[in-house]
Amino acid sequence: MIEFFNQGGYAFFVWGAFGMTFLLLIAEILLLRQSRRTILTRVGRLARLRAQQPQPAEPASPQPEHQT
Amino acid sequence: MTINWFKYASPAAFYPIAGRLVPVFSIAALGLVLFSLYWGFFETPERLGGSNPQKEYYRIIFVHVPSAWMSMWLYLVLAAWSGIGLVFNTRLSFMMANAIAPTGAIFTFIALWTGAFWGRPSWGTYWDWDPRLTSELILFFMYIGFMALHSAIDDSRRADRAAALLAIVGLVMLPVIYWSINCPDPNNCAALHQRSSLTQIESNILTAMLTMTLGFWLYSFATAFARLQGIILTRELESAWVRDMVSGPTPAASGG
């Protein structure tokens, strides 16, 4: 076991290389998850905001009835 | 039967497809990487080469070569999507290029980092202004430049086109990296990387290296598609389909 982690005396180089590789890959996954959550929250908030307003039926056509 | 491929060129149509592909590629990538790590550390010899062999540190090859390959391949794919975007003016192509860039930059950095950790025990130095090392560093700056230019321009359509143009110009770096090895006569020109051939490599080492490459490739698919989903949502925030997707089943009741 110790022999395995020692890598023939080159532990610093071997684990330094593999460590940074998988640190970065895992960090990328975590950052992607976090940004996905942030975006979905934003989308959800925007949808709720829209739902509270009188909903325009057709997005393309301008709605003249602002005050009733 | 003909398939209308342009149907999937719409962000709204591709969003759910990307969502379904992410877990598939993630699981496959994880499996391949774990297999490669096992094979690379337990099924390979402790020495590489005949007289004056490389000792255990040669195992850095299992992350160094795959990440270096991915850094170049992803740049090629990024530039290809940029080119397709410029020719067909498809938004999804530009988004794809943007989704690939950070992953490519990470693999380029990993290639440089692991190269330094391999260079110290084998060449005696972490860094040298060798042609291949220098051109790989420039590739890293190309990725950074691509992302920086895109984020510096507020109008996303203009940012797409400007960054795409930069990506295509940067393609010139790929052949430079590829051929920046020793020429046939090392007395005329010397580079640290030597000409090598996959057929000369011991089969267990080759197995670990190639499965890691495939694993990194599938990982790139997974992260690119996951990032693509985020980019699509951010850019299409105002469009009807995003609104329907969010508030469709439960109209503005439960938030998260």
Side-chain angles (χ1 to χ4, degrees):
Chain A
M1 196 65 174
I2 290 164
E3 200 186 325
F4 170 73
F5 283 109
N6 198 28
Q7 285 296 318
Y10 294 99
F12 172 72
F13 300 106
V14 173
W15 302 126
F18 278 83
M20 179 54 92
T21 302
F22 291 100
L23 188 79
L24 284 177
L25 296 189
I26 291 164
E28 188 187 13
I29 293 169
L30 294 180
L31 281 173
L32 273 171
R33 282 217 176 137
Q34 196 190 357
S35 78
R36 178 175 174 77
R37 228 171 295 140
T38 313
I39 293 165
L40 283 177
T41 316
R42 230 175 99 205
V43 173
R45 197 183 302 136
L46 210 74
R48 272 200 303 285
L49 266 171
R50 284 242 173 68
Q52 283 162 13
Q53 288 166 359
Q55 286 198 345
E58 297 297 317
S61 64
Q63 296 287 310
E65 4 90 58
H66 21 60
Q67 284 181 353
T68 48
Chain B
M1 196 185 98
T2 54
I3 302 169
N4 180 12
W5 289 104
F6 279 96
K7 191 184 121 187
Y8 300 106
S10 117
F14 196 73
Y15 182 86
I17 298 173
R20 255 173 281 143
L21 290 175
V22 170
V24 176
F25 283 119
S26 303
I27 292 164
L30 184 69
L32 283 164
V33 166
L34 290 179
F35 174 84
S36 167
L37 283 177
Y38 167 75
W39 208 266
F41 277 105
F42 297 107
E43 302 290 336
T44 52
E46 286 168 355
R47 299 283 182 274
L48 178 68
S51 60
N52 195 21
Q54 298 216 26
K55 305 215 176 66
E56 282 84 346
Y57 55 80
Y58 87 86
R59 288 193 169 123
I60 295 171
I61 199 174
F62 303 133
V63 280
H64 178 68
V65 172
S67 58
W69 279 344
M70 289 318 297
S71 72
M72 291 165 71
W73 171 248
L74 289 178
Y75 195 88
L76 194 66
V77 176
L78 184 157
W81 281 120
S82 295
I84 292 169
L86 285 176
V87 172
F88 294 105
N89 204 19
T90 41
R91 284 172 303 156
L92 190 65
S93 311
F94 291 122
M95 293 182 191
M96 207 77 105
N98 280 306
I100 290 167
T103 304
I106 285 172
F107 276 123
T108 314
F109 182 83
I110 290 173
L112 290 165
W113 179 276
T114 56
F117 272 67
W118 195 359
R120 184 74 183 101
S122 61
W123 298 331
T125 178
Y126 283 107
W127 181 259
D128 191 76
W129 294 101
D130 161 84
R132 179 161 277 181
L133 275 62
T134 309
S135 51
E136 182 78 4
L137 183 66
I138 294 172
L139 183 72
F140 180 63
F141 292 143
M142 294 305 307
Y143 277 114
I144 301 291
F146 176 84
M147 292 187 283
L149 181 62
H150 195 278
S151 63
I153 302 172
D154 286 332
D155 178 6
S156 66
R157 301 293 290 229
R158 289 190 60 205
D160 281 342
R161 305 187 77 82
L165 213 58
L166 180 71
I168 289 166
V169 172
L171 265 181
V172 73
M173 284 319 295
L174 291 190
V176 174
I177 298 170
Y178 187 79
W179 278 295
S180 62
I181 48 175
N182 241 355
C183 53
D185 181 7
N187 294 320
N188 289 332
C189 56
L192 292 169
H193 286 81
Q194 304 292 317
R195 191 176 297 280
S196 58
S197 162
L198 290 181
T199 52
Q200 296 166 357
I201 300 176
E202 204 262 333
S203 67
N204 285 318
I205 296 174
L206 193 65
T207 303
M209 202 171 88
L210 292 183
T211 45
M212 187 68 88
T213 306
L214 199 57
F216 279 3
W217 196 352
L218 298 186
Y219 169 90
S220 308
F221 269 105
T223 51
F225 283 142
R227 195 175 285 111
L228 181 70
Q229 283 201 303
I231 292 171
I232 290 175
L233 278 186
T234 314
R235 292 238 206 143
E236 310 264 297
L237 208 55
E238 302 295 323
S239 64
W241 72 270
V242 173
R243 222 181 307 148
D244 292 346
M245 187 188 71
V246 173
S247 56
T250 49
S254 61

